[in-house]
Amino acid sequence: MQRISAGMMVAYKWVLPASSLLLFTVIAPIWNSVASSLAPWMKWLLPVAAIVAFVAQVATTWSLADEVVDHGDHLRVRRRSIEETVAIADIEKVSAEYAIRPLRVVLSLRRPGAFGRRIIFVPRPNSAFGTYGESRVAADLSQRIGSRASGESVDG
């Protein structure tokens, strides 16, 4: 049994969006004094940007799994109060989204479960410096899915 998801999901889902709003409240008085000498619409630029940033952060992290634990022949996935067990044999495809930070692993399931047809999570980093290049978690899961499809045995 090994956790394969990042342990910082609280930071990604709650701390970062809240800190963006906190940053806005700190900068707002300064912005108001500067924007008063500019065009009237400029006064609304920072509040609108802060709200858009907050909504974007929440929208991109809300559907991420909070925890994914590898039990060898199945994964235990938890998001908020919902928990599901997914057999490795039920995973059709493993892909990684490298263009988005933090990197995300997407598990496409053969049939929908509690989280739908896709489970998305942030994998455990390859090293203390993060994941640069291919994620070991994604590569390991892809290999195990491929070996199941070809009929080879897989060690947990």
Side-chain angles (χ1 to χ4, degrees):
M1 176 171 87
Q2 175 183 355
R3 182 183 180 130
I4 61 173
S5 60
M8 297 186 53
M9 291 314 298
V10 170
Y12 293 135
K13 286 185 166 186
W14 297 101
V15 175
L16 291 177
S19 65
S20 71
L21 289 180
L22 179 63
L23 181 63
F24 164 69
T25 59
V26 170
I27 295 174
I30 299 166
W31 178 256
N32 282 335
S33 66
V34 171
S36 63
S37 63
L38 300 172
W41 65 269
M42 293 289 281
K43 194 167 195 147
W44 293 99
L45 188 64
L46 183 65
V48 169
I51 291 168
V52 167
F54 176 77
V55 169
Q57 286 176 331
V58 170
T60 58
T61 60
W62 199 249
S63 64
L64 296 175
D66 294 328
E67 181 181 52
V68 180
V69 179
D70 188 349
H71 289 271
D73 63 341
H74 68 278
L75 304 176
R76 186 178 46 79
V77 182
R78 183 182 57 77
R79 184 173 72 208
R80 293 181 283 286
S81 63
I82 303 170
E83 197 167 302
E84 180 180 19
T85 300
V86 177
I88 295 293
D90 289 340
I91 302 172
E92 187 173 45
K93 180 178 143 187
V94 178
S95 58
E97 296 175 349
Y98 292 98
I100 301 172
R101 289 293 174 187
L103 171 117
R104 293 149 197 241
V105 172
V106 180
L107 307 177
S108 299
L109 305 178
R110 295 186 194 286
R111 57 184 175 270
F115 305 116
R117 287 193 57 93
R118 293 172 17 134
I119 295 173
I120 305 170
F121 68 97
V122 176
R124 189 183 67 237
N126 288 349
S127 70
F129 301 110
T131 299
Y132 298 97
E134 186 178 29
S135 165
R136 284 191 210 128
V137 169
D140 176 57
L141 286 172
S142 291
Q143 178 196 14
R144 289 165 59 192
I145 301 305
S147 62
R148 287 253 187 229
S150 65
E152 299 172 15
S153 71
V154 176
D155 294 328

